[in-house]
Amino acid sequence: MSRSMRMSVEVEGLDEALRHLKAYDTKSTEKISEAIRLGGQNIGKEARSRVPRRSGKLRKSIRTRFDSTAITSTVRTNVPYAHLVEFGAAAATVRPRSRARKGGKPKLALRIDGRGFRRFVHKSSKPGKGVVHIPARPARPYMTPAYQSGKPRIENDIKKVLREMPK
């Protein structure tokens, strides 16, 4: 399972335009490449400015990469909880395993109380005991709004280059 979150911009007609570019000059190809590279950087900056900040780790992990051979720009993060911040998470109940492995200690579940103390709870026969309830976490999108705000500019920059292309 990949531990990263990626989004891509697809511009309608770009593939066809790139096929036609082979017949034209390299200047047009460079201009389109530059528009896509700058668009990816702008989306990355926008995502970094929109991300909710708790420790700052998620914001620092947002990276952009431009691939000149495929003419693609990628904005990604490798923080394993990025998708939980972007899309939210449903409430969950965690129970310790019912029994330990051979010769081992009984399994525990981690519970963090309201004051931030970490405690481990054992499996219990009493109802509601030995269970950790994790509340639902609402979505706090940062990548999708950044993508939606940057996409029109990228499309307009590419259309401008295509209009200026020699025929």
Side-chain angles (χ1 to χ4, degrees):
M1 180 174 121
S2 176
R3 297 187 120 199
S4 66
M5 189 167 109
R6 297 179 185 187
M7 297 192 98
S8 64
V9 176
E10 187 163 323
V11 180
E12 290 183 30
L14 182 60
D15 292 335
E16 182 182 335
L18 291 174
R19 280 194 297 275
H20 291 297
L21 280 178
K22 292 183 178 154
Y24 295 106
D25 60 352
T26 57
K27 224 174 200 182
S28 298
T29 307
E30 288 173 4
K31 286 180 182 178
I32 288 178
S33 296
E34 186 67 12
I36 292 173
R37 185 185 67 77
L38 290 175
Q41 286 179 347
N42 290 336
I43 290 173
K45 285 179 189 175
E46 182 75 19
R48 279 189 286 280
S49 71
R50 289 177 179 262
V51 71
R53 186 172 181 191
R54 190 165 172 187
S55 69
K57 185 177 180 181
L58 179 56
R59 179 170 44 181
K60 291 174 191 170
S61 73
I62 297 173
R63 299 279 183 251
T64 59
R65 196 180 101 219
F66 177 70
D67 181 3
S68 59
T69 56
I71 309 180
T72 58
S73 192
T74 305
V75 181
R76 64 184 298 256
T77 178
N78 60 356
V79 174
Y81 56 84
H83 65 287
L84 298 174
V85 175
E86 177 79 13
F87 304 112
T93 302
V94 179
R95 292 179 175 81
R97 288 190 184 158
S98 57
R99 56 190 163 132
R101 294 191 176 115
K102 284 187 177 181
K105 295 179 182 177
K107 296 299 177 183
L108 306 171
L110 178 64
R111 169 185 240 141
I112 301 173
D113 66 12
R115 296 174 298 199
F117 293 113
R118 292 178 171 91
R119 299 181 183 162
F120 291 96
V121 294
H122 293 275
K123 177 95 172 146
S124 175
S125 59
K126 296 178 186 175
K129 295 288 183 182
V131 175
V132 178
H133 299 285
I134 300 172
R137 288 153 319 272
R140 295 181 290 172
Y142 58 94
M143 194 72 81
T144 304
Y147 164 74
Q148 290 171 344
S149 70
K151 183 180 174 183
R153 183 172 178 188
I154 295 170
E155 289 175 342
N156 289 337
D157 289 347
I158 292 171
K159 287 176 185 176
K160 180 182 173 188
V161 171
L162 293 176
R163 281 193 297 270
E164 293 171 357
M165 274 178 40
K167 298 196 178 189

